Amino acid sequence: MEQPAPALPNTPFHRLGGAPIFEAIANRFYDLMDEDPAYARLRAMHAADLDPMRRSLPRFLAGWAGGPRDWFEANPGRCMMSLHKPFTIDHAVAGQWAEAMQRAIADVAPEPADMAKAMGDVLVDMARGMGR
Ligand code: HEM
């Protein structure tokens, strides 16, 4: 049976501070989405209860950034772009996601700055790629 890849210390996941930082990014992101009227349309697309997203997003981001892959093991073959296909994501709402994520990273995971910027930039590209 294939063994899970060992956790590597030089990954974005570890350089940014590991699981607690990824949980903090996701919590800040959903707090902003919930509280800032600038993200009202994005908020309205999500379920009333954001707790499942507060659990899911940091686990996805952790695996994606080179950390523990439990989200990917629980969701074999699930692609983030395909998962969003059923939603109607226009450019404005994709921009709301991108902006809230950049703010969340800046608020709770600003160091190391090059790593934080690189991760924010890639997530912004991913969000914009979902907009139509
Ligand atoms: C571009 C704008 C985006 C919009 C409008 C959007 C919207 C949504 C919505 C409506 C859901 C279902 C949530 C619910 O039922 O409460 C969802 C799920 C999810 N989204 Fe997004 N999303 C966007 C971008 C992204 C990006 C860029 C990522 C990752 C980098 C992401 C990660 C996730 C994850 C991990 C889930 C939950 C999947 C699961 O574990 O079932 N989203 N998204």
Side-chain angles (χ1 to χ4, degrees), residues 43-104:
R43 175 65 186 93
M45 291 175 70
H46 287 74
D49 181 5
L50 287 174
D51 283 354
M53 290 302 306
R54 288 178 192 269
R55 284 191 293 275
S56 183
L57 182 64
R59 289 168 58 237
F60 167 78
L61 290 178
W64 173 82
R69 297 190 55 80
D70 50 296
W71 186 92
F72 291 85
E73 280 150 22
N75 296 280
R78 223 159 157 218
C79 152
M80 206 32 75
M81 300 306 279
S82 318
L83 187 154
H84 287 79
K85 281 265 154 59
F87 308 123
T88 307
I89 303 179
D90 64 21
H91 294 296
V93 97
Q96 290 180 14
W97 197 104
E99 186 186 292
M101 180 52 73
Q102 281 193 310
R103 282 177 64 188

Side-chain angles (χ1 to χ4, degrees), residues 8-18 22 62 64-67 112 115 119:
L8 300 170
N10 205 27
T11 62
F13 174 79
H14 288 281
R15 288 191 61 207
L16 285 165
F22 280 69
W64 173 82
M115 192 72 262
M119 189 167 88

